[in-house]
Amino acid sequence: MVRSLEQEGVEVIFGIPGGAILPAYDPILDSPIRHILCRHEQGAAHAADGYAQATGEPGVCMATSGPGVTNLVTGLASAYMDSIPMVAISGQVPTWAVGGDAFQECDATGITMPVTKHNFLVMDAQEIPKTIAEAFHIARTGRPGPVLVDIPKDVLQAEMAWWYPEEVDLPGYRPVTKGNPKQIREAAKLILSARQPILYTGGGIIRAGAADELRRLVELTGIPTVTTLMGRGGIPDDHELCLGMPGMHGNYTAVTAMQKADLLVSLGVRFDDRVTGKLATFAPDAKIIHADIDPAEIGKNRAVDVPIVGDARSVIHELNEILEAMIEERGLPDYSAWVKTVQGWQKKYPYKYSQTADGPLKPEYVIEQIGKITKGDGVYVAGVGQHQMWASQYLRFKRPNTWLNSGGLGTMGYAVPAAMGAKVGRPDEQVWAIDGDGCFQMTCQELATMTTENIPVKIAIINNAFLGMVRQWQELFYDNRFSAVEFGYDVPDYVKLAEAYGAIGLRCETPEEVESTIRKAAEIDDRTVVMDFRVDPTEKCYPMVPAGASNDEIILGPEFEKDHADILHDTPEAII
């Protein structure tokens, strides 16, 4: 099994040994593969996810049977929702004990079936190499995703004649990567007949390595472009046609431009409910071009005018070729009035917050300063909640694969282990985790792994003493009835906790301390640094489209109160 992993070019495994997987651990001692001993299997799975997102190569995690594999499930589900290539290896009780409720037995393939792209139970040692090859092939190709390989202990111990398949042939598995030329030509015609088009781009751009082709399309057509939470970095934020993130906490311009568009060119996206808001009112006047590697996504949530099944890079390349010829022949439509309108919204309704010199520390200020000091040159990882949204709002992304988070499943506890995995994959870059105090406490035991394995990352805890997003919803929608949501600032003491794990702990409570704290952390490269930023617990994340509401009901927030009249003039539906 280990030799099969070597054949696939695996360099690192994140895992924890146990009884059923022990036979796989002994040969690791003689293998060039690095094993990183995590402190919890969920951490191992998220670390493999972070490694995969940072490198584009499948991440590998390993666990024993029973609780070992059930602890992997959250990480597998997160990777599945975000189309992250991973291979998970789990030990199983011996074949003779399967189905007998043996110690640490569970139905690993049954439990993980809904949260993996595919899974295997290997009952013959001779099949291990072939199964590993197929697992990596499935994880990497088509729509990427996690694959689990469950191997009983006696199968791991059995002798076999070594062989490795030169190629993989899976009957019935033929992912379509090249888009239909006729459909791509129809898409090009629709683009050149539109007057208010928007490029709606998502994680498929990142997974397919399509950023260069996307930029070519943007600059060829001059069409404004939104990047979803999973698509951030697909086009640089400083590009004049990049509108940033749409959705529940997206910016006003990205949300409204999609609502007012007459055409959405949707590339590697899945019309997620956090983007569409109330689906029936989403982009009501827009025709839809939808290109995606997964045919099941097309038309799933929104009827489509031009469907294209294919890999984003291949489809956009072909679209660019056709568009270039068409534009040379008939010219480009005049989108200038539309672009001027959209860019006018950008100037008028940027993200806003207010940080006073003597006031409480604002989380947006902390995150914005991290972005300014690091100049967007790092790899950034977020947990889930308010801090995740603020990070996506206030960091400025230059490149793909530099923004990692659990976008679909929304897994609290993702950031710390995923940052560890990203640092292993890209050791020469600084990795910054921006986490909430609630998230951090779910997986902070991986600080021990970072220390013992010498994996130094920077972790900024946006400590508002609450489960911040829950508090925000209880304030806005439950009449300020704060139920089971307060953690407090002081328990645990994050500085002492960091030190106990062998990391550096820093605390920051005022605006004037922020820059020096970040710079000090940036200068420490031999140990993990944990920064406890104690921020205003009452700060809320805006803009906001309430769950189930139309995107036309976007709430801009208190910073726009004084501009209320102007907002109402521009879009009657916008509310403060």
Side-chain angles (χ1 to χ4, degrees), residues 109-223:
T109 53
I111 289 169
T112 60
M113 183 177 291
V115 296
T116 54
K117 187 176 175 183
H118 194 67
N119 62 27
F120 298 89
L121 173 61
V122 185
M123 299 295 281
D124 180 348
Q126 202 62 37
E127 296 296 312
I128 289 177
K130 173 173 172 285
T131 305
I132 295 293
E134 291 174 351
F136 276 85
H137 177 70
I138 293 170
R140 286 187 175 113
T141 55
R143 181 177 184 169
V147 178
L148 178 111
V149 181
D150 194 40
I151 313 177
K153 187 172 185 177
D154 56 331
V155 175
L156 285 169
Q157 291 171 319
E159 292 191 3
M160 50 87 70
W162 170 252
W163 70 291
Y164 204 77
E166 293 183 358
E167 60 181 26
V168 173
D169 182 21
L170 292 169
Y173 181 71
R174 300 284 186 274
V176 176
T177 58
K178 191 172 174 58
N180 183 298
K182 183 179 176 184
Q183 293 298 87
I184 296 175
R185 180 166 289 277
E186 289 302 311
K189 289 178 183 175
L190 211 51
I191 290 171
L192 296 182
S193 65
R195 290 296 174 269
Q196 296 185 177
I198 289 292
L199 298 182
Y200 165 28
T201 68
I205 298 293
I206 310 297
R207 298 280 78 77
D212 289 343
E213 289 292 348
L214 174 62
R215 183 164 186 151
R216 182 183 165 202
L217 175 62
V218 172
E219 295 179 349
L220 175 64
T221 60
I223 297 176

Side-chain angles (χ1 to χ4, degrees), residues 232 237 367-368 370-372 374 380-381 390-397 403 434:
R232 307 284 288 124
D237 279 328
I367 294 169
E368 188 170 49
I370 290 174
K372 286 182 177 177
T374 59
Y380 305 91
V381 187
W390 284 318
S392 183
Q393 292 175 346
Y394 287 96
L395 295 175
R396 305 286 288 173
F397 300 102
W403 166 239
I434 295 166

Side-chain angles (χ1 to χ4, degrees), residues 234-256:
I235 183 168
D237 279 328
D238 62 2
H239 194 288
E240 61 178 356
L241 291 169
C242 182
L243 306 184
M245 182 177 72
M248 177 176 277
H249 292 289
N251 68 75
Y252 174 88
T253 302
V255 171
T256 304

Side-chain angles (χ1 to χ4, degrees), residues 461-480:
I461 302 173
I462 307 301
N463 179 7
N464 60 8
F466 281 83
L467 293 167
M469 190 63 88
V470 178
R471 186 191 189 283
Q472 176 167 334
W473 283 44
Q474 289 179 338
E475 180 178 338
L476 294 176
F477 309 123
Y478 290 84
D479 196 25
N480 290 300

Side-chain angles (χ1 to χ4, degrees), residues 22-33:
L22 267 184
Y25 266 81
D26 187 73
I28 290 176
L29 290 172
D30 302 318
S31 170
I33 297 175

Side-chain angles (χ1 to χ4, degrees), residues 396-410:
R396 305 286 288 173
F397 300 102
K398 295 179 177 177
R399 303 168 290 157
N401 300 310
T402 56
W403 166 239
L404 285 57
N405 70 128
S406 175
L409 193 66

